[in-house]
Amino acid sequence: MVPVSPLGDLRPLLRTGLNATLRLDAAEALAESPALRPPPAMPVTVWVGAAERPAFVDQARRLAAAWGAALVEEPERHHFDVIAGYEDPTHPLVRTLTG
């Protein structure tokens, strides 16, 4: 499993204007936050662009730590191009996903 630029903990969204659209309550944010749930019973590598906004990098780091997962911070990638590796079957992202 390879979560890419994941939002592992939704609780910080409760304090943002975005929650007017999402309409999350505390119980739902807690229940739907992967970082607050048991880790999957399979190998996990969390993947994030090193040039992402700090909140995304922090979310990825926290999820990896919570799950005891590997973490890859891909240099020079950001939220909109971190998935570009999927275009190349030899890219480390694809190799990690396909094991």
Side-chain angles (χ1 to χ4, degrees):
M1 173 186 284
V2 183
V4 177
S5 297
L7 291 178
D9 185 351
L10 301 179
R11 294 174 300 173
L13 294 174
L14 297 173
R15 300 182 303 272
T16 69
L18 181 59
N19 200 37
T21 300
L22 297 174
R23 295 180 287 179
L24 291 171
D25 61 30
E28 186 176 21
L30 182 68
E32 299 295 331
S33 293
L36 306 176
R37 311 291 304 156
M42 65 183 67
V44 176
T45 298
V46 178
W47 201 280
V48 67
E52 295 232 24
R53 298 188 63 83
F56 283 102
V57 176
D58 184 55
Q59 285 273 338
R61 288 175 180 164
R62 288 179 182 208
L63 180 61
W67 282 358
L71 173 67
V72 174
E73 295 183 32
E74 188 174 358
E76 300 179 19
R77 293 290 185 190
H78 55 75
H79 197 69
F80 297 104
D81 70 357
V82 70
I83 62 170
Y86 286 133
E87 296 175 327
D88 176 1
T90 65
H91 190 276
L93 175 58
V94 173
R95 289 196 323 258
T96 299
L97 184 62
T98 59

